[in-house]
């Protein structure tokens, strides 16, 4: 464990560039690893989660190399031609890697065992196990439907039409990836929209994907394809990583920070919308499109924030950003209320309980409810917890980084008990924070 104390060091200034989008990085390695031929990936996030995906795709037969200039070259194994891994696939802390790769294996005649760290091994996999079992895969999981688990793929798998019981881009993606090597058409019905990188990127790699709507619900259909085509991918900056700096610059007086090359996919831009509702001063500079994804530079200046009732319908578009939004709410004027956030209880940690405890220790007024938090803000005053208030990250990178931001607006500083989990998603976080506050 590596503890660190974060304290007020002055406004955030200058220009920073956050690492590549984690969701797109995972998928670019997977889809390039399934394509026949050479793909090149620029801007890949080189955090531990994405490297777990790279290691797994190598185990399935893809050739993946990183050059000195940071460009990754992938020679794919081909849909239908995955090799059986010689040993268990260690997913570390990555739920995305696990659930999407389970979908890949489900329609191939191979067996794979998935293992992970203590945090990942407590996360629910039944939501993926259910549809993949319907498609013919055989899955033996640990008690409670968790890792470690062994998955035997079906060949041929059975196409299904699956209605998502929870809003989850990972479950949707797992079913669609299984559908890549399943005869016929596999469909997913999505009552609540979730991030759509899988649909956009599979289309870019040459898959036949149809997106329609029926009775107000989104329907995504994927046709069985023999081959994906290689593709060069430029990964935009991760909006979930930019979120910590968007909030920090919004709540630290005097800040004027530009965050370059941020992906603004509408299914991921919920935090931007909510912060603006609260009064944040965030401008999109040089908006453009890169590889089918909207991108812009974000100029964020300090502005007094006001508490709001957050519409639960926006949750899927910012599910990973709520921990740092709670920090913004703690400094706003009035009360911010959130609801419909049951999903946060089954992330890397129970993020509702973890953030309620951490913010309370830092001096915030927080009420925890079954599906959300109510936070009574300070009206712009710094948090007045005990000196060097010690908070638990619970092996959760987003809790650690959110409380780092809280430390910037506290009178006594905030000590995060373990910052090492930050490397799973944002290995340059500490350096960028030091650069922006220098």
């Amino acid at each position: 464990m590596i503890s660190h104390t974060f304290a007020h060091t002055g406004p955030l200034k200058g220009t920073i560039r956050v690492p590549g989008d984690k969701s797109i990085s995972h998928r670019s390695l997977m889809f390039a690893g399934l394509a026949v031929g050479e793909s090149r990936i620029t801007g890949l996030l080189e955090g531990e989660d994405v490297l777990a995906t790279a290691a797994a795709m190598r185990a399935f037969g893809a050739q993946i190399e990183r050059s000195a200039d940071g460009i990754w070259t992938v020679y794919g194994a081909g849909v239908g031609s995955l090799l059986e891994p010689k040993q268990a696939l260690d997913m570390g802390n990555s739920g995305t890697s696990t659930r999407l790769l389970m979908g890949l294996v489900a329609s191939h005649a191979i067996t794979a065992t998935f293992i992970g760290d203590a945090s990942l091994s407590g996360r629910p996999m039944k939501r993926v196990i259910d549809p993949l079992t319907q498609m013919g895969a055989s899955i033996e999981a640990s008690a409670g439907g968790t890792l470690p688990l062994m998955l035997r793929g079906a060949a041929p798998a059975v196409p299904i039409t699956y209605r998502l019981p929870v809003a989850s881009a990972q479950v949707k993606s797992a079913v669609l990836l299984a559908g890549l090597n399943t005869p016929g058409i596999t469909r997913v019905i999505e009552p609540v929209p979730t991030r759509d990188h899988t649909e956009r990127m599979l289309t870019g790699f040459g898959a036949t994907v149809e997106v329609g709507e029926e009775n107000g619900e989104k329907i995504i259909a994927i046709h069985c394809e023999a081959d994906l085509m290689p593709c060069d991918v430029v990964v935009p900056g991760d909006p979930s990583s930019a979120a910590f700096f968007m909030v920090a610059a919004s709540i630290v007086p005097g800040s004027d920070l530009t965050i370059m090359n941020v992906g603004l996919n509408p299914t991921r831009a919920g935090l931007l919308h909510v912060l603006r509702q609260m009064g944040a001063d965030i401008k999109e500079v040089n908006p453009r499109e890169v590889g089918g994804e909207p991108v812009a530079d974000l100029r964020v200046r300090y502005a007094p924030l006001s508490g709001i009732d957050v519409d639960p319908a926006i949750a899927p578009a910012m599910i990973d950003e709520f921990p740092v939004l709670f920090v913004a709410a703690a400094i706003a004027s009035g009360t911010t209320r959130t609801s419909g956030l049951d999903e946060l209880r089954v992330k890397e940690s129970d993020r509702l309980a973890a953030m309620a405890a951490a913010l309370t220790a830092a001096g915030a007024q927080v009420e925890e409810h079954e599906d959300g938090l109510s936070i009574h803000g300070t009206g712009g005053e710094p948090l007045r917890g005990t000196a060097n208030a010690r908070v638990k990250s619970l092996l959760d990178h987003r809790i650690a980084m959110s409380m780092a931001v809280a430390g910037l607006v506290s009178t006594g500083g905030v000590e995060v008990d373990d910052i090492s989990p930050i490397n799973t998603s944002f290995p340059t976080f500490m350096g960028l924070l030091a650069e922006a506050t220098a």
Side-chain angles (χ1 to χ4, degrees):
M1 291 175 63
I2 306 170
S3 66
H4 188 88
T5 298
F6 298 89
H8 177 65
T9 54
L12 287 82
K13 298 278 192 178
T15 299
I16 62 169
R17 184 179 292 267
V18 298
D21 183 284
K22 188 160 72 142
S23 296
I24 294 174
S25 293
H26 278 304
R27 287 163 175 80
S28 62
L29 285 170
M30 290 182 197
F31 303 165
L34 289 170
V36 176
E38 177 186 315
S39 298
R40 289 160 56 87
I41 306 168
T42 305
L44 189 84
L45 170 65
E46 296 180 3
E48 292 169 0
D49 284 8
V50 174
L51 297 181
T53 292
M57 292 310 297
R58 287 190 184 106
F60 291 135
Q63 296 178 44
I64 303 176
E65 299 163 0
R66 181 194 187 277
S67 60
D69 58 5
I71 295 175
W72 291 67
T73 304
V74 182
Y75 299 90
V79 175
S81 301
L82 297 187
L83 302 180
E84 183 163 298
K86 292 182 170 63
Q87 56 195 36
L89 301 173
D90 188 349
M91 298 289 95
N93 188 241
S94 182
T96 302
S97 304
T98 307
R99 293 181 177 132
L100 270 61
L101 292 172
M102 285 173 64
L104 274 191
V105 174
S107 59
H108 286 77
I110 60 175
T111 297
T113 299
F114 293 85
I115 61 174
D117 67 10
S119 170
L120 181 61
S121 297
R123 296 180 66 181
M125 296 297 154
K126 188 173 185 299
R127 56 182 59 178
V128 184
I129 292 171
D130 287 347
L132 298 183
T133 301
Q134 290 179 31
M135 297 181 77
S138 172
I139 302 171
E140 297 172 21
S142 300
T146 58
L147 300 189
L149 66 76
M150 184 170 68
L151 192 157
R152 292 185 183 88
V158 179
I160 61 171
T161 296
Y162 188 70
R163 179 187 299 274
L164 293 177
V166 293
S168 171
Q170 293 178 358
V171 178
K172 169 179 68 176
S173 299
V175 175
L176 293 176
L177 289 180
L180 268 180
N181 199 42
T182 300
I185 302 173
T186 299
R187 296 180 176 86
V188 175
I189 301 172
E190 194 173 49
V192 178
T194 66
R195 57 184 65 177
D196 63 357
H197 303 302
T198 295
E199 300 96 295
R200 288 175 183 250
M201 293 181 69
L202 279 176
T203 300
F205 275 89
T208 303
V209 181
E210 296 167 350
V211 180
E213 194 172 292
E214 197 171 291
N215 301 323
E217 296 179 326
K218 188 174 167 187
I219 301 176
I220 307 106
I222 189 160
H223 296 242
C224 179
E225 290 288 320
D227 293 317
L228 292 186
M229 305 304 293
C231 189
D232 288 349
V233 179
V234 178
V235 181
D238 193 322
S240 296
S241 296
F244 301 102
F245 289 92
M246 287 164 57
V247 168
S250 294
I251 63 178
V252 176
S255 295
D256 185 349
L257 183 72
T258 297
I259 312 169
M260 302 294 289
N261 193 47
V262 180
L264 294 179
N265 183 303
T267 63
R268 300 282 302 283
L271 178 69
L272 189 60
H273 176 73
V274 170
L275 285 176
R276 283 174 171 159
Q277 280 186 310
M278 297 173 75
D281 180 358
I282 305 175
K283 290 187 169 52
E284 295 169 34
V285 181
N286 187 22
R288 53 205 184 270
E289 190 167 288
V290 178
E293 294 277 345
V295 172
D297 307 326
L298 298 180
R299 184 180 183 188
V300 189
R301 286 179 279 196
Y302 167 78
L305 303 182
S306 300
I308 61 170
D309 291 350
V310 180
D311 183 353
I314 205 167
M318 57 173 292
I319 196 67
D320 287 331
E321 287 75 71
F322 274 100
V324 77
L325 175 71
F326 296 150
V327 176
I331 299 296
S333 299
T335 299
T336 297
R337 299 177 183 85
T338 61
S339 59
L341 303 182
D342 315 66
E343 181 70 9
L344 289 186
R345 295 205 182 273
V346 293
K347 287 289 189 176
E348 282 85 335
S349 66
D350 177 341
R351 287 182 173 163
L352 292 179
M355 285 303 297
L359 282 171
T360 299
Q365 284 187 280
V366 184
E367 297 166 21
E368 182 181 348
H369 311 294
E370 189 174 333
D371 66 342
L373 301 181
S374 293
I375 300 174
H376 308 287
T378 64
E381 293 297 313
L383 296 171
R384 300 185 184 279
T386 57
N388 287 348
R390 185 175 173 86
V391 301
K392 295 179 179 178
S393 64
L394 302 176
L395 298 175
D396 190 326
H397 52 128
R398 298 203 193 279
I399 302 299
M401 288 185 281
S402 296
M403 293 313 298
V405 174
L408 303 180
V409 286
S410 68
T411 54
V414 170
E415 181 187 357
V416 177
D417 68 340
D418 188 7
I419 60 168
S420 55
I422 291 173
N423 287 326
T424 64
S425 69
F426 199 164
T428 56
F429 173 79
M430 297 293 289
L432 288 178
L433 186 61
E435 181 184 328
T437 55

